[in-house]
């Protein structure tokens, strides 16, 4: 067999150099990590939940004092406003305070008939002793006549600090005329009746609310009422009370009082 020579004209691929070798740091950086195990993932998630709960608890603790402070400020503002409103509103006077103010002036429906000026006015009566003051009031003319017949003018005018329950002309008119004329003609009986209308001390409206008082006639009379409404012995109403005179306080009544 004949030896054939090797052909040298065929294409020969070039020889490539080997790739460069990576350092250990580069290899670690490019390494793809393995997925975490289920146990590791559960632990991570549990730690995350615990961390979130702790964060919420801390936030709640931080916010709670601010909330309580705001509520406390609101309640305090309400109390301050209520106190300011209560302080700005005037207190209503009590019944006792109203009664305490009553003695400062006369009261009652018949007081409207008292003249504003002159000797028969309240100011004029305050300057005269009680019998003289009554004589200047036209509504007490029958009483004045009876006092003169009984000879009690000086007795009443010279007495000190007394209270007189003075019957009006209409009060005497309630007594039948024959009986009234008979009483006026009997000085002893007339004196007994008139002195029963006199108490040996000045009485204020407050004292009339509920009281029993001795009279110059030596027996007692009772009073009851409040405000501007009072009765003597339960039957005779005060129609103009707390009228001052120089030596007495006068309560004008609508019924003649009879000794017990």
């Amino acid at each position: 067999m004949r030896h054939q020579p090797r052909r040298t004209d065929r294409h020969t691929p070039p020889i490539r150099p080997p790739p460069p070798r990576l350092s250990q740091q580069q290899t670690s950086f490019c390494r793809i990590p393995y997925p975490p195990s289920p146990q590791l993932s559960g632990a991570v998630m549990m730690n995350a939940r615990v961390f979130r709960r702790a964060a919420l608890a801390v936030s709640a603790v931080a916010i709670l004092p601010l909330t309580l402070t705001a509520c406390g400020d609101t309640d305090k503002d309400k109390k301050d406003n209520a106190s300011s409103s209560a302080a700005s509103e005037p207190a209503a006077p009590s019944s006792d305070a109203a009664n305490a103010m009553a003695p400062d002036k006369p009261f009652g429906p018949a007081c409207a008939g008292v003249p504003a000026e002159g000797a028969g006015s309240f100011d004029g009566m305050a300057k005269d002793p009680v019998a003289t003051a009554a004589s200047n009031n036209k509504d007490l003319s029958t009483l004045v006549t009876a006092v003169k017949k009984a000879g009690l003018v000086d007795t009443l005018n010279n007495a000190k600090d007394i209270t007189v329950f003075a019957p009006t002309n209409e009060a005497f008119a309630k007594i039948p005329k024959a009986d009234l004329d008979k009483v006026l003609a009997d000085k002893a009986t007339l004196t007994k009746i008139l002195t029963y209308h006199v108490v040996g001390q000045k009485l204020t409206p407050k004292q009339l609310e509920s009281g029993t008082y001795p009279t110059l006639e030596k027996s007692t009379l009772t009073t009851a009422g409040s405000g501007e409404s009072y009765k003597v012995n339960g039957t005779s109403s005060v129609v103009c009370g707390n009228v001052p005179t120089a030596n007495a306080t006068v309560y004008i009544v609508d019924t003649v009082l009879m000794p017990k």
Side-chain angles (χ1 to χ4, degrees):
M1 171 179 251
R2 194 175 181 180
H3 178 73
Q4 293 182 358
R6 179 182 298 180
R7 296 181 63 180
T8 59
D9 58 351
R10 293 181 178 177
H11 176 71
T12 301
I15 298 174
R16 297 179 180 179
R21 300 183 64 181
L22 298 176
S23 65
Q24 184 177 359
Q25 181 178 3
Q26 290 173 332
T27 305
S28 300
F29 179 79
C30 296
R31 185 178 297 128
I32 298 175
Y34 289 100
S37 64
Q39 293 81 0
L40 181 60
S41 298
V44 172
M45 293 177 67
M46 182 178 296
N47 289 337
R49 284 197 296 270
V50 171
F51 177 77
R52 283 197 297 271
R53 290 176 182 174
L56 290 175
V58 172
S59 300
V61 171
I63 293 173
L64 181 59
L66 299 178
T67 305
L68 294 177
T69 301
C71 294
D73 292 342
T74 302
D75 294 339
K76 182 179 179 182
D77 292 341
K78 290 181 179 179
K79 292 180 180 178
D80 292 342
N81 292 335
S83 299
S84 300
S85 300
S88 62
E89 295 179 358
S94 64
S95 58
D96 290 341
N99 289 335
M101 293 187 292
D104 292 341
K105 61 182 180 179
F107 64 87
C111 292
V114 176
E117 298 178 351
S121 66
F122 291 129
D123 291 338
M125 294 177 68
K127 298 176 183 178
D128 294 325
V130 63
T132 302
S135 67
N136 295 321
N137 189 320
K138 61 182 180 60
D139 291 329
L140 301 177
S141 60
T142 304
L143 173 63
V144 173
T145 299
V147 169
K148 289 179 178 180
K149 285 183 175 292
L152 295 175
V153 173
D154 291 338
T155 300
L156 295 177
N157 279 346
N158 293 328
K160 293 183 179 180
D161 298 331
I162 60 175
T163 295
V164 175
F165 294 94
T168 63
N169 295 342
E170 293 181 356
F172 281 101
K174 293 179 181 180
I175 302 174
K177 187 176 185 309
D179 294 339
L180 179 58
D181 290 342
K182 185 177 179 179
V183 170
L184 292 175
D186 186 342
K187 185 175 180 179
T189 301
L190 184 58
T191 300
K192 183 178 180 69
I193 293 173
L194 293 178
T195 54
Y196 183 70
H197 289 74
V198 182
V199 174
Q201 68 181 93
K202 285 187 176 181
L203 299 177
T204 66
K206 182 67 175 177
Q207 291 174 294
L208 297 187
E209 289 184 358
S210 179
T212 300
Y213 303 100
T215 69
L216 295 187
E217 185 269 333
K218 304 302 182 184
S219 60
T220 61
L221 57 76
T222 60
T223 62
S226 62
E228 296 187 357
S229 177
Y230 298 93
K231 283 186 178 294
V232 184
N233 288 347
T235 58
S236 185
S237 298
V238 175
V239 294
C240 183
N242 201 37
V243 179
T245 69
N247 68 326
T249 299
V250 177
Y251 290 90
I252 301 175
V253 295
D254 65 355
T255 303
V256 177
L257 304 175
M258 292 298 178
K260 298 177 181 179

